[in-house]
Amino acid sequence: MHLMQMETFSFIVFYSLISFLVLKLSIASDTITPNQSFTNGETLVSSGQSFELGFFSPGSSNNLFLGIWYKKFPEIIVWVANRENPITDSHGILTISSDGHLVILNGTKSVIWSSNSSRTAQYSVAQLLDSGNLVLRESSNSSTESYIWQSFDFPSDTLLADMKMGWNLKTGLNRFLTSWKSASDPSPGDFIYGIDVIGLPQFVLRKGSEKKYRTGIWNGLRFSGAGVKSTPVSTPTFVSNTDELYYMYKSNGGSMITRFVVNQSGLLQRFVLSEGSSEWTIMSITQTDQCDDYGHCGANGICKINKGPICECLQGFIPKVQKEWDMFDWSMDVQGRH
Ligand SMILES: *[C@@H]1O[C@H](CO)[C@@H](O)[C@H](O)[C@H]1NC(C)=O
Ligand SMILES: *[C@@H]1O[C@H](CO)[C@@H](O)[C@H](O)[C@H]1NC(C)=O
Ligand SMILES: *[C@@H]1O[C@H](CO)[C@@H](O)[C@H](O)[C@H]1NC(C)=O
Ligand SMILES: *[C@@H]1O[C@H](CO)[C@@H](O)[C@H](O)[C@H]1NC(C)=O
Ligand SMILES: *[C@@H]1O[C@H](CO)[C@@H](O)[C@H](O)[C@H]1NC(C)=O
């Protein structure tokens, strides 16, 4: 009996020690403090193990970029810091500069990228949150208001849950998505998706200066024509007041996670992953009322409300311009996904 108790006791001590150590490690590993740095090969992992931050080389590229990806899906990059300034010398360092900014240095210690915000802190720390947001903040204060800089304010091609797309009207900050140039080059590509505030607000996808798609106009309550709709996995919010005008979605929780991406061909896609699954699927939502629009699918097109792309050609016809037809598909899609 005595022995049993002893064993139980050491068992408890042992495991308390282990969990203490694990706790210490995971706390340490989502944060960089001044005078700490990490280099390629090392990563930060968010506390809930959802996201990871580190240097990567996309596709066939040898350039190094600092990015955030899903811990379980390192190939899915949701954010890139130095999109336009790759490190070309295979040695990257992430650190906090003496003046409190988050900086990326190359092998010869030149500043390749900087968080460069107008505000600074006494003692700033950078933390990768479990939402996928990389924040720079005063170490003693973790309130949202105290963020000096956050990656969510500078989206790449992906909108995660709780990320705002749109405007801070007070500061003029506009958050929008930009496609990658190619699978090996995360620099800004052709497609930009954001909220236009010239006139009445509306979602607009642009290719260069050309408008490729827009929703109906915001009438103060909702977008006419295209609804900002709930999906089984996400609930949209649209905020419009004197300070802010943005779209955001909340994850419905449960066992599915979701992300919204503008891909290199200008397709706006919502992906969904079920818990335990290793494959992301493109979510599709049945449209309502799109087929009612006269000539919606063009001459010799048939509109089928239950189809993924709802437009089909009549038998014997092919799309006049395949590219435009492809665009058409996603324009249907996006309306269902918001
Ligand atoms: C960082 O290191 C420098 C030089 O070693 C030191 O003077 C400074 O106090 C350190 N800063 C912090 C915040 O630890
Ligand atoms: C680091 O970047 C600077 C500035 O862009 C550049 O002049 C230098 O050659 C780079 N260092 C290496 C080792 O590539
Ligand atoms: C930081 O911002 C200032 C003002 O916007 C700009 O002039 C400067 O080039 C930026 N520096 C870096 C490293 O991005
Ligand atoms: C944290 O920062 C916010 C905004 O700067 C401030 O309102 C709040 O009082 C601070 N909290 C603490 C505990 O210092
Ligand atoms: C964009 O997404 C569509 C639909 O999934 C896909 O067919 C296309 O290849 C993608 N474009 C690129 C450049 O990956």
Side-chain angles (χ1 to χ4, degrees):
M1 205 58 194
H2 183 71
L3 194 64
M4 272 281 274
Q5 274 167 356
M6 240 343 244
E7 268 176 6
T8 312
F9 180 71
S10 2
F11 184 83
I12 289 167
V13 168
F14 180 69
Y15 276 93
S16 313
L17 194 64
I18 293 272
S19 51
F20 173 73
L21 285 174
V22 167
L23 196 67
K24 280 296 261 199
L25 283 176
S26 64
I27 285 169
S29 68
D30 70 352
T31 303
I32 298 182
T33 57
N35 287 3
Q36 255 187 351
S37 62
F38 81 72
T39 181
N40 37 321
E42 298 177 283
T43 60
L44 296 186
V45 176
S46 67
S47 62
Q49 307 288 304
S50 299
F51 291 95
E52 189 162 19
L53 170 85
F55 289 98
F56 71 101
S57 294
S60 55
S61 170
N62 290 321
N63 290 338
L64 273 184
F65 298 89
L66 180 81
I68 297 174
W69 55 84
Y70 289 96
K71 176 115 176 45
K72 285 192 186 141
F73 301 91
E75 72 285 3
I76 301 176
I77 310 290
V78 296
W79 183 75
V80 185
N82 55 321
R83 290 183 87 171
E84 292 168 83
N85 302 80
I87 296 169
T88 51
D89 66 358
S90 81
H91 192 67
I93 300 163
L94 179 69
T95 190
I96 291 173
S97 62
S98 53
D99 55 358
H101 298 299
L102 192 61
V103 292
I104 300 175
L105 311 174
N106 71 2
T108 46
K109 304 273 158 72
S110 287
V111 176
I112 295 297
W113 175 92
S114 161
S115 60
N116 204 18
S117 71
S118 48
R119 286 168 63 198
T120 51
Q122 287 274 322
Y123 186 89
S124 42
V125 297
Q127 185 178 21
L128 178 63
L129 305 181
D130 213 40
S131 56
N133 195 5
L134 176 66
V135 304
L136 189 65
R137 60 173 174 81
E138 182 70 55
S139 76
S140 58
N141 190 333
S142 58
S143 77
T144 322
E145 296 75 41
S146 78
Y147 294 169
I148 293 157
W149 175 92
Q150 54 180 325
S151 62
F152 272 16
D153 279 343
F154 304 91
S156 296
D157 65 348
T158 302
L159 194 73
L160 298 170
D162 300 325
M163 253 174 109
K164 294 173 180 177
M165 186 172 86
W167 295 79
N168 179 327
L169 298 166
K170 281 195 156 163
T171 63
L173 174 74
N174 180 19
R175 312 167 192 90
F176 51 86
L177 306 182
T178 316
S179 62
W180 283 30
K181 202 158 253 169
S182 76
S184 300
D185 184 0
S187 67
D190 288 339
F191 295 95
I192 291 179
Y193 186 56
I195 295 179
D196 252 22
V197 286
I198 302 161
L200 289 167
Q202 55 186 336
F203 291 102
V204 175
L205 178 79
R206 281 200 171 75
K207 183 178 185 182
S209 58
E210 192 187 342
K211 278 188 193 174
K212 284 307 221 177
Y213 165 73
R214 63 198 180 101
T215 61
I217 279 168
W218 176 251
N219 66 11
L221 286 175
R222 62 184 190 91
F223 287 92
S224 61
V228 178
K229 290 175 188 151
S230 290
T231 74
V233 291
S234 64
T235 304
T237 335
F238 194 85
V239 170
S240 173
N241 58 40
T242 50
D243 294 346
E244 292 193 287
L245 194 151
Y246 64 84
Y247 161 77
M248 185 174 88
Y249 66 86
K250 293 250 168 227
S251 167
N252 289 354
S255 59
M256 294 204 273
I257 54 173
T258 171
R259 64 193 159 95
F260 182 83
V261 180
V262 51
N263 88 353
Q264 296 128 44
S265 332
L267 281 127
L268 299 162
Q269 302 169 305
R270 181 174 287 289
F271 290 87
V272 179
L273 178 79
S274 304
E275 197 176 306
S277 169
S278 58
E279 223 169 292
W280 289 82
T281 48
I282 296 177
M283 196 170 115
S284 193
I285 287 290
T286 307
Q287 297 298 306
T288 53
D289 73 26
Q290 287 302 319
C291 288
D292 298 339
D293 297 351
Y294 179 76
H296 190 75
C297 296
N300 303 314
I302 330 172
C303 192
K304 289 188 175 171
I305 219 80
N306 300 322
K307 283 291 178 93
I310 63 173
C311 289
E312 280 179 6
C313 278
L314 284 174
Q315 214 170 10
F317 289 87
I318 53 160
K320 247 192 292 188
V321 185
Q322 187 62 45
K323 266 241 156 81
E324 273 179 27
W325 190 262
D326 290 343
M327 283 301 162
F328 201 55
D329 291 355
W330 58 255
S331 74
M332 296 305 90
D333 245 320
V334 67
Q335 296 186 358
R337 280 176 189 150
H338 279 293

